[in-house]
Amino acid sequence: MKAKVHVALKSGVLDPQGKAINHALHTLGFPAVRDVRQGKLIELEIDEQDPAKARAAVEEMCKKLLANPVMETYRIEIE
């Protein structure tokens, strides 16, 4: 089973990488970009047939390693 975890910084948390991307886009001729927030996508292949068990396992992975709950939010997709 495949799982995708989308991790993003919470609103209000400074995003220096997003600011750098925003500046670079303006330099490349894209002045209409107002703000950029960057995140990460983590794809996992899991040996589990039950979607509920897969989601529970990925949720635990997020809490323990994949996301920092103080600064980040995450969204899980099970395929």
Side-chain angles (χ1 to χ4, degrees):
M1 186 163 290
K2 189 175 200 170
K4 292 182 180 180
V5 180
H6 301 267
V7 182
L9 290 171
K10 289 182 176 179
S11 69
V13 175
L14 294 178
D15 185 356
Q17 200 169 7
K19 295 279 186 224
I21 293 167
N22 190 25
H23 177 71
L25 288 170
H26 286 194
T27 301
L28 292 171
F30 300 99
V33 176
R34 294 174 61 202
D35 191 28
V36 176
R37 302 284 292 174
Q38 68 85 35
K40 58 188 169 188
L41 169 65
I42 302 165
E43 294 183 350
L44 304 163
E45 283 289 335
I46 303 171
D47 288 331
E48 179 59 65
Q49 299 304 315
D50 182 353
K53 288 181 181 179
R55 180 175 294 280
V58 174
E59 183 79 33
E60 194 67 23
M61 292 176 206
C62 288
K63 290 177 182 176
K64 290 184 175 183
L65 177 69
L66 301 179
N68 177 347
V70 174
M71 298 175 39
E72 298 173 319
T73 61
Y74 59 89
R75 179 173 47 90
I76 299 169
E77 294 177 26
I78 302 294
E79 298 178 352

